[in-house]
Amino acid sequence: GQSLEQPSEVTAVEGAIVQINCTYQTSGFYGLSWYQQHDGGAPTFLSYNALDGLEETGRFSSFLSRSDSYGYLLLQELQMKDSASYFCAVFSPRRWLTGGGNKLTFGTGTQLKVEL
Amino acid sequence: KAGVTQTPRYLIKTRGQQVTLSCSPISGHRSVSWYQQTPGQGLQFLFEYFSETQRNKGNFPGRFSGRQFSNSRSEMNVSTLELGDSALYLCASSLAGSSYEQYFGPGTRLTVT
């Protein structure tokens, strides 16, 4: 099976840097995705790490270490609008799944609160 | 380009009834996945369709079913509704081979009383 663990809640101040961790247990996967979801909204794609290392997209960066079964999302220059839930998700293509098909398995989610 | 649309947005049903939810993916996206989101369980994968074929299914009872049409639109059906089925049902579409980047619809909020 697959399981991903995240801290349930993180609080930070506006302008700061925050790191949201994701530890996973999976038998095989292609990569790690990150999604943001505001209250009442739909999840939106932020980033994807197919390889180990850091991927940077503006204020957001994501990191993956397969040897440590660990990834994180780094948010810089925090803004109030960044207050949302953040989910990591492993992408498992059909090769590694019985029955075939692609699948995103989501983590438990981290609620980020940005304060003034 | 229009986003993923889901209908209806809100639904109230009674235990024992059945419900059908609809999802129209982004034009050109042939892969459609469905998720159930609840406060306690988070986002849980229901099933994925590609070219009218169910390619993968999550760990949900047989009361949950779905299908995809030739225009990639998808429906999911829940029969014999239970109180625990109350949730936000999200549909997501993606390009073939890029399902790590899924585009979600606004969801259907189902309440079972």
Side-chain angles (χ1 to χ4, degrees), chain A residues 21-61:
Chain A
N21 298 323
C22 172
T23 56
Y24 59 83
Q25 289 184 320
T26 179
S27 55
F29 70 107
Y30 259 171
L32 188 71
S33 295
W34 286 90
Y35 285 79
Q36 177 193 62
Q37 185 179 29
H38 286 98
D39 280 349
T44 56
F45 172 79
L46 291 176
S47 68
Y48 176 66
N49 290 71
L51 303 173
D52 281 10
L54 194 67
E55 290 283 341
E56 297 182 66
T57 310
R59 294 188 297 115
F60 294 179
S61 302

Side-chain angles (χ1 to χ4, degrees), chain A residues 7-89:
Chain A
S8 59
E9 191 174 305
V10 172
T11 302
V13 296
E14 195 175 32
I17 299 173
V18 72
Q19 179 173 310
I20 298 174
N21 298 323
C22 172
T23 56
Y24 59 83
Q25 289 184 320
T26 179
S27 55
F29 70 107
Y30 259 171
L32 188 71
S33 295
W34 286 90
Y35 285 79
Q36 177 193 62
Q37 185 179 29
H38 286 98
D39 280 349
T44 56
F45 172 79
L46 291 176
S47 68
Y48 176 66
N49 290 71
L51 303 173
D52 281 10
L54 194 67
E55 290 283 341
E56 297 182 66
T57 310
R59 294 188 297 115
F60 294 179
S61 302
S62 57
F63 174 83
L64 175 63
S65 169
R66 291 172 186 267
S67 59
D68 296 321
S69 297
Y70 165 72
Y72 66 72
L73 179 70
L74 191 73
L75 296 84
Q76 304 181 68
E77 300 172 17
L78 279 174
Q79 302 175 10
M80 296 297 290
K81 67 178 182 179
D82 297 330
S83 293
S85 292
Y86 293 84
F87 296 87
C88 59

Side-chain angles (χ1 to χ4, degrees), chain B residues 6-91:
Chain B
Q6 291 186 246
T7 56
R9 292 292 312 279
Y10 302 91
L11 206 50
I12 300 175
K13 289 286 189 178
T14 306
R15 272 181 303 175
Q17 288 186 312
Q18 74 160 15
V19 67
T20 298
L21 312 181
S22 181
C23 170
S24 292
I26 291 173
S27 177
H29 286 191
R30 294 166 63 193
S31 176
V32 174
S33 299
W34 288 89
Y35 298 86
Q36 181 194 66
Q37 187 172 29
T38 58
Q41 298 295 319
L43 269 160
Q44 293 201 294
F45 173 78
L46 280 156
F47 23 67
E48 184 232 359
Y49 287 88
F50 181 80
S51 292
E52 302 179 66
T53 301
Q54 185 184 92
R55 299 201 299 182
N56 199 11
K57 191 175 191 301
N59 295 324
F60 279 81
R63 299 185 297 107
F64 292 81
S65 63
R67 59 178 175 169
Q68 187 180 34
F69 302 94
S70 58
N71 61 358
S72 295
R73 190 177 69 85
S74 178
E75 290 181 346
M76 69 163 280
N77 184 278
V78 188
S79 63
T80 320
L81 283 166
E82 301 177 359
L83 293 178
D85 297 333
S86 293
L88 180 67
Y89 290 88
L90 291 159
C91 162

